[in-house]
Amino acid sequence: MYVCIIFSTESILHCNEEPDRTQRNQPKPKPKSRMSETDTATQRRTRILANHFLLHEDICTPSKTTLYSSACLSYTPAEHGETISFDTREMRKILDWHNIEDRDWLFGLMMQEKLFNPIERGGRVFTIPDYEKPMHYQREMTRRRIKWLAERGVFEGWLTGRGEGWDLKRLALEEAAVVYDHSLAIKCGVHFLLWGHTLKFLGTKRHHEKWLKPTEDYKIMGCFAMTELGHGSNVRGLETVATYDAKTSEFVINTPCETAQKYWIGGAAEDAGYAVVFTQLNMNGKNQGLHAFIVQIRDVNGNPMPNIRIADCGHKIGLNGVDNGRIWFDNVRVPRENLLNSVADVTADGQYVSDIKDPDRRSVAFMSPLTSGRVTTAVTAIQGSKVSLTIAVRYALTRRAFSVTPNGPEVRLLDYPSHQRRLLPLLAKTYAMVFAANYLKMLYVKRTPRSIKNLHLVSNAMKAVFSWHNMRTLQLALHNFVYICCFQECREACGGQGLKTENRIGQMKAEFDPQSTFEGDNTYMMHQVSKSLLAEYEVNKKRNKPFKGLGLDHMNGPCPVLPSQLTSTILRSSQFQVDAFRLRERDLLSRFATEVAEYQARGENKENAFLQAYQVAEDLARAFSDRLTLESFTEAEARVPAGSLKDVLGLVRSLYAIICMDEDASFLRYGYLTMQNVAVVRKEVRKLCSELRPHALVLVTSFGIPDAFLSPIAYDWIEANSSSSAKL
């Protein structure tokens, strides 16, 4: 039993009364005894507490308090009293879109195997990575888990399969793997995608026949050695050098300085026997730009090969199941055949041949494997949001805090409007990004030489926006508003429980943090988006031709005009939402082109002019990403038949669109919305959160995350923390 103090209505009324001024200046009576001193101190503390809870400026004395006893809190399942407004299985089909059986198959494999660290909490078994163990233990377990999955055929067809079906299956299994452990997914990504796909896309028949099947079967382990200590996003600035020796038909690879050491190379510290090494190619004194070579870095016993030095990058804030390493090459010789030669080749007599004459364009072609990595990073980022939101929403439906009426029950967290505002907009954003991710996946599996440009643009944008959605916790200077990430908001929404490793959310922040910078720094990615849009804009304006591709077709029509006065009905109209997002993108692209031209008119070169106009560039990249995301949502919604599921999707879509307007200052900064309309938008956010509150549980349930991959606070958190479960 516990005792609570509740201040009565009379107390609140007395707080508004002015004290008797005739007695205000009277001297305080001296205490008669130590007991009366204690009473006075207690009363003073009570007055302070009353003033705090009643949000009253003046200290006032409650005239009466009510003491009551209450039974200890008990756990009530999240499902209790909640609305089942639609079939969650049907919603999951819309969200996951493809290979649902394959996802569930992999979930089942991991849940049934002790190797994946099942733990019992609160009468349930959870399958949660052992993050509290030392780094070397986590690495060993990641290694053993991948091998175990390989033996059961999980990676079959990841490299040797052909066609859209194999690509979609691989993406689905990657998404399922990251639900369990980001280290597991990254380690798989490094080996199968960065190492394996580079061999597949940049190599030719001689490489495919020798390397792809052993890689797919996990018989050999490879890594992707591109990043250097001195160069990350600026790949063209890499300093490692390869020189061709025609006398021996070998390339000599060298690390000329410390900044040229390969750095953050996943798999290099302990496991990888081979690496795809990216270097500048020196042919007869001429730099031919970026090229890629297969290099053996360890022998069969796991020792570094001659003239190769390998060091460990050490402990990280997250992803400690991945063995990141550093590599130096001291004039290492590799056979001529180890050049990945789909883009360029060197003949036996030392002649350099390539259909792409421009070294810069060749370098771009050699970077094509990064697109696959960015697609995977984008779509797996969404899985982290799904897990954290499912945990946070379920906890908010079972955890109570404070009562709003005397002697009344404490209120569930998710019934507070402020808590709804914390979680439900993030839920709407996650739904929207799922549909955008599905669009990105379709672009990827249906890619053609003509569509690569669009795929590169969209993957850059989505990789940045989706991982920022997960990770940004501080003020995002990029958009001049406070942008709270999904993980951080969910962590805070779970209070102290969000700090426990076994509850996953806090740890997932650290595990997913690297997504903001690997596969390309996010801010740099967004700059690339704006650059591509500007180039397309200038070409079409110069040729006076309609826009085609890059999603700019909407600019061929008349410029949208927004209503001068907004209402709830207008705000919820999908046509208004699309018009508002298109207007913003269209105007910002024009502003960006104008600003760059103005800098050039002052004597700046094109590149520096672009750098000076970075503020508009960043607003434009966000506008492009948001518009693409909204259109992906509306297209998916349009395919759903009329009914309750479609109605709820409409609410989610409206909250996504309106929260973007509420949070992005560009709508007000550039005059797309007036001050009065911004106030209407803000009120609509609260209304939509309130309307979505009854659907919160079914919306997160539709993500299809198995119970075992959530955490104890998503269920009976009281029993999970009981003394019977404690190690006393």
Side-chain angles (χ1 to χ4, degrees), residues 209-311:
E209 291 178 347
K210 182 176 181 180
W211 300 99
L212 291 188
K213 187 64 171 135
T215 296
E216 185 175 276
D217 293 340
Y218 213 54
K219 301 299 183 185
I220 61 171
M221 285 174 272
C223 61
F224 184 83
M226 177 179 279
T227 300
E228 296 177 354
L229 177 61
H231 291 88
S233 295
N234 181 18
V235 175
R236 296 183 192 184
L238 295 182
E239 296 174 297
T240 304
V241 177
T243 305
Y244 185 64
D245 185 348
K247 295 178 181 178
T248 61
S249 292
E250 293 174 317
F251 292 98
V252 182
I253 298 177
N254 189 47
T255 303
C257 52
E258 285 298 344
T259 53
Q261 63 178 280
K262 296 299 180 180
Y263 211 95
W264 290 125
I265 310 305
E270 296 181 6
D271 294 340
Y274 296 86
V276 170
V277 181
F278 286 81
T279 79
Q280 305 291 345
L281 176 58
N282 189 321
M283 294 292 299
N284 302 317
K286 181 180 180 181
N287 182 16
Q288 297 292 351
L290 202 65
H291 289 69
F293 301 86
I294 299 173
V295 181
Q296 184 174 359
I297 61 173
R298 282 189 175 85
D299 62 24
V300 293
N301 297 315
N303 300 311
M305 295 293 287
N307 300 329
I308 291 179
R309 291 171 286 150
I310 301 174

Side-chain angles (χ1 to χ4, degrees), residues 693-708:
R693 159 62 188 89
H695 310 291
L697 181 60
V698 287
L699 285 169
V700 295
T701 302
S702 298
F703 289 147
I705 308 297
D707 297 352

Side-chain angles (χ1 to χ4, degrees), residues 125-333:
V125 176
F126 297 94
T127 304
I128 300 174
D130 25 27
Y131 292 126
E132 75 282 1
K133 297 294 178 64
M135 177 182 72
H136 292 296
Y137 179 89
Q138 292 187 49
R139 289 178 176 180
E140 174 61 24
M141 294 307 294
T142 301
R143 185 182 305 121
R144 289 172 58 187
R145 286 163 184 159
I146 294 175
K147 183 179 179 182
W148 186 88
L149 293 172
E151 290 169 351
R152 280 144 189 84
V154 171
F155 309 118
E156 180 183 349
W158 279 33
L159 294 174
T160 59
R162 296 287 187 270
E164 297 175 11
W166 285 106
D167 279 338
L168 287 173
K169 180 178 180 181
R170 190 263 303 168
L171 286 166
L173 293 176
E174 278 273 3
E175 290 176 276
V178 82
V179 166
Y180 169 67
D181 179 24
H182 200 205
S183 283
L184 177 70
I186 291 299
K187 185 85 170 182
C188 290
V190 167
H191 175 73
F192 293 103
L193 301 184
L194 293 181
W195 156 261
H197 274 205
T198 301
L199 299 179
K200 185 174 181 179
F201 295 142
L202 297 185
T204 54
K205 184 178 180 181
R206 72 190 188 204
H207 306 108
H208 299 164
E209 291 178 347
K210 182 176 181 180
W211 300 99
L212 291 188
K213 187 64 171 135
T215 296
E216 185 175 276
D217 293 340
Y218 213 54
K219 301 299 183 185
I220 61 171
M221 285 174 272
C223 61
F224 184 83
M226 177 179 279
T227 300
E228 296 177 354
L229 177 61
H231 291 88
S233 295
N234 181 18
V235 175
R236 296 183 192 184
L238 295 182
E239 296 174 297
T240 304
V241 177
T243 305
Y244 185 64
D245 185 348
K247 295 178 181 178
T248 61
S249 292
E250 293 174 317
F251 292 98
V252 182
I253 298 177
N254 189 47
T255 303
C257 52
E258 285 298 344
T259 53
Q261 63 178 280
K262 296 299 180 180
Y263 211 95
W264 290 125
I265 310 305
E270 296 181 6
D271 294 340
Y274 296 86
V276 170
V277 181
F278 286 81
T279 79
Q280 305 291 345
L281 176 58
N282 189 321
M283 294 292 299
N284 302 317
K286 181 180 180 181
N287 182 16
Q288 297 292 351
L290 202 65
H291 289 69
F293 301 86
I294 299 173
V295 181
Q296 184 174 359
I297 61 173
R298 282 189 175 85
D299 62 24
V300 293
N301 297 315
N303 300 311
M305 295 293 287
N307 300 329
I308 291 179
R309 291 171 286 150
I310 301 174
D312 201 314
C313 286
H315 192 274
K316 308 181 291 291
I317 63 171
L319 289 182
N320 283 301
V322 180
D323 53 315
N324 294 91
R326 306 150 63 192
I327 312 174
W328 294 260
F329 303 94
D330 301 323
N331 294 317
V332 175
R333 290 182 170 269

Side-chain angles (χ1 to χ4, degrees), residues 288 291 341-346 351-358 361-362 365-366:
Q288 297 292 351
H291 289 69
N341 62 336
S342 68
V343 175
D345 204 357
V346 175
Q351 298 299 311
Y352 183 82
V353 292
S354 176
D355 292 334
I356 305 175
K357 303 306 179 185
D358 181 9
R361 289 186 59 205
R362 281 199 301 271
F366 273 110

Side-chain angles (χ1 to χ4, degrees), residues 655-669:
L655 180 54
Y656 167 73
I658 294 170
I659 199 65
C660 287
M661 296 180 198
D662 184 48
E663 291 181 341
D664 191 343
S666 68
F667 280 96
L668 182 61
R669 180 186 298 127

Side-chain angles (χ1 to χ4, degrees), residues 57-73:
E57 291 183 0
D58 297 325
I59 295 179
C60 51
T61 305
S63 64
K64 185 172 74 175
T65 62
T66 302
L67 296 179
Y68 73 94
S69 298
S70 173
C72 289
L73 290 174

